[in-house]
Amino acid sequence: MNKKRSCRHFLTLLDLNASELKWLLTRSKQLKTLRNAGVIYEPLRNRTLAMVFEKSSTRTRVSFEVGMTQLGGHALFLSARDTQLGRGELIEDSAKVLSRMVDCIMIRTFEHRKLERFAANSSVPVINGLTDWAHPCQLLADLQTWQEHSGAIEGRTALWVGDGNNMCHSYIHAAQLLNFNLRIACPEGYEPDPQVLTPAKNCTLFRNPLEAAQGVDLIATDVWASMGQEQEQIARRAAFAAYQVNNEMMSKAQPNALFMHCLPAHRGEEVAASVIDGNNSVVWDEAENRLHSEKALLEFLLCPEVISNLDSEPKVIE
Ligand code: CP
Ligand code: NVA
């Protein structure tokens, strides 16, 4: 018998409403405080997360795996290469089988449509661990980091510099949900998907990155060639040469503007070493916050009992 039931997935940030996203950010901060105080909190005892990777990862794999351990559960690493997915088993069949055994599935893959097909066939929550089109888990960490360093972000201005890629799309979604202004500076031919950009009224496209950087509170960037675009590396290096985040660009922003990068970074390409290793860079906090924000996400998807009232501060459970 097929026990398929409806469940929440996290495929893009827009799977959350603004209250839910704010709840997650507050909860993540609380879980970070609990963890730093050495408090053991294990709501996911005996629960298993399957992590399917069709692309490489350091932060996503480690943060989800450690997060499950800290919440009392278990994470299972499945690389496409070593499973039947790599030998052509249908994504739909894989989703049906995995979701009969585990409580939640995180998947990192190429086409976003593949993730959607997987989720449509899963009876447990599916989390987007990155597709070519969106990287919502990274935005949970970026938004938390921005709030921790700058306070309320509503009405502030961020600049996305470089490729209109998966990270850029998730920044656009975040700006829509949290009402901050987003400037996007990218070369011709590398703009974000118009379907993502057009509905976002608080997001503006710029060609000149120095003009775009004037007075902003945050500058974020990413590699010029994402996973799967390795063969375009040389052409992209030429197209993006004027889009490096360097001291000149940072000097146009607010003096206390933050620099963020989802990592891994290429010093001397999309970012100068003096910026990523400088005083305005918060990339290590950003990377650490992957752990706390994904724990909040897992709790949100798997422990509905903790979400009593989304409009009030989440209760601290000790
Ligand atoms: N930022 C990020 O997702 O890193 P990994 O590719 O190492 O998981
Ligand atoms: N845009 C990058 C993000 C890596 C975390 C990629 O998709 O490779």
Side-chain angles (χ1 to χ4, degrees), residues 30-317:
Q30 288 182 346
L31 292 175
K32 184 173 186 174
T33 306
L34 285 187
R35 177 68 191 159
N36 288 345
V39 175
I40 304 220
Y41 172 57
E42 297 184 327
L44 298 187
R45 226 169 286 156
N46 204 30
R47 313 287 281 275
T48 303
L49 170 76
M51 307 187 299
V52 180
F53 283 95
E54 295 199 303
K55 290 174 172 172
S56 306
S57 170
T58 299
R59 280 143 289 267
T60 304
R61 176 179 177 181
V62 174
S63 53
F64 272 108
E65 192 160 335
V66 171
M68 278 304 285
T69 304
Q70 291 181 1
L71 293 172
H74 177 69
L76 195 58
F77 174 75
L78 301 167
S79 89
R81 208 179 35 231
D82 304 317
T83 56
Q84 300 291 5
L85 262 175
R87 295 183 58 251
E89 183 165 14
L90 281 182
I91 195 93
E92 287 83 356
D93 292 356
S94 305
K96 283 176 189 153
V97 171
L98 284 177
S99 63
R100 291 280 181 115
M101 298 186 202
V102 304
D103 301 284
C104 187
I105 303 168
M106 187 239 80
I107 174 163
R108 169 170 285 197
T109 188
F110 291 86
E111 305 87 0
H112 194 76
R113 183 72 202 120
K114 198 165 169 185
L115 169 77
E116 290 173 336
R117 283 167 48 210
F118 190 93
N121 286 278
S122 169
S123 54
V124 300
V126 172
I127 297 172
N128 179 358
L130 179 147
T131 63
D132 291 343
W133 194 76
H135 194 6
C137 289
Q138 183 65 50
L139 258 290
L140 298 179
D142 285 27
L143 294 169
Q144 180 180 348
T145 311
W146 193 6
Q147 281 186 347
E148 281 175 353
H149 284 271
S150 309
I153 58 182
E154 185 165 343
R156 289 184 185 255
T157 302
L159 167 62
W160 175 263
V161 192
D163 197 9
N165 63 8
N166 44 10
M167 277 295 299
C168 178
H169 290 164
S170 291
Y171 260 93
I172 296 171
H173 290 156
Q176 284 173 279
L177 285 168
L178 294 190
N179 286 322
F180 61 87
N181 304 306
L182 180 67
R183 299 180 188 171
I184 300 159
C186 56
E188 208 175 331
Y190 296 96
E191 296 87 358
D193 181 342
Q195 282 195 337
V196 179
L197 185 61
T198 309
K201 299 299 170 219
N202 50 346
C203 299
T204 321
L205 210 53
F206 285 72
R207 282 288 171 238
N208 182 333
L210 296 181
E211 188 195 324
Q214 290 289 346
V216 300
D217 302 294
L218 162 69
I219 298 185
T221 193
D222 188 10
V223 290
W224 290 339
S226 286
M227 290 181 274
Q229 297 172 332
E230 290 75 11
Q231 72 295 345
E232 296 175 32
Q233 213 135 20
I234 293 170
R236 282 174 170 264
R237 232 175 255 155
F240 287 96
Y243 291 79
Q244 183 188 77
V245 183
N246 51 27
N247 291 339
E248 187 189 5
M249 195 183 294
M250 289 302 294
S251 75
K252 307 285 179 202
Q254 296 289 342
N256 58 352
L258 305 176
F259 171 74
M260 288 200 210
H261 191 309
C262 59
L263 306 176
H266 298 105
R267 287 169 177 75
E269 289 190 25
E270 75 274 6
V271 61
S274 56
V275 171
I276 193 168
D277 299 319
N279 291 335
N280 295 43
S281 171
V282 290
V283 297
W284 313 121
D285 290 343
E286 184 187 358
E288 179 191 327
N289 284 336
R290 292 292 303 273
L291 170 65
H292 311 297
S293 55
E294 281 154 14
K295 284 169 69 179
L297 176 66
L298 289 162
E299 192 192 37
F300 177 81
L301 293 173
L302 294 176
C303 309
E305 63 280 7
V306 298
I307 313 157
S308 45
N309 181 357
L310 283 168
D311 289 321
S312 63
E313 291 264 302
K315 279 205 294 285
V316 181
I317 302 166

Side-chain angles (χ1 to χ4, degrees), residues 12-31:
T12 83
L13 277 184
L14 298 184
D15 286 328
L16 303 172
N17 61 37
S19 299
E20 290 168 337
L21 177 54
K22 286 177 190 163
W23 187 95
L24 273 178
L25 296 174
T26 307
R27 185 65 183 151
S28 177
K29 219 169 129 205
Q30 288 182 346
L31 292 175

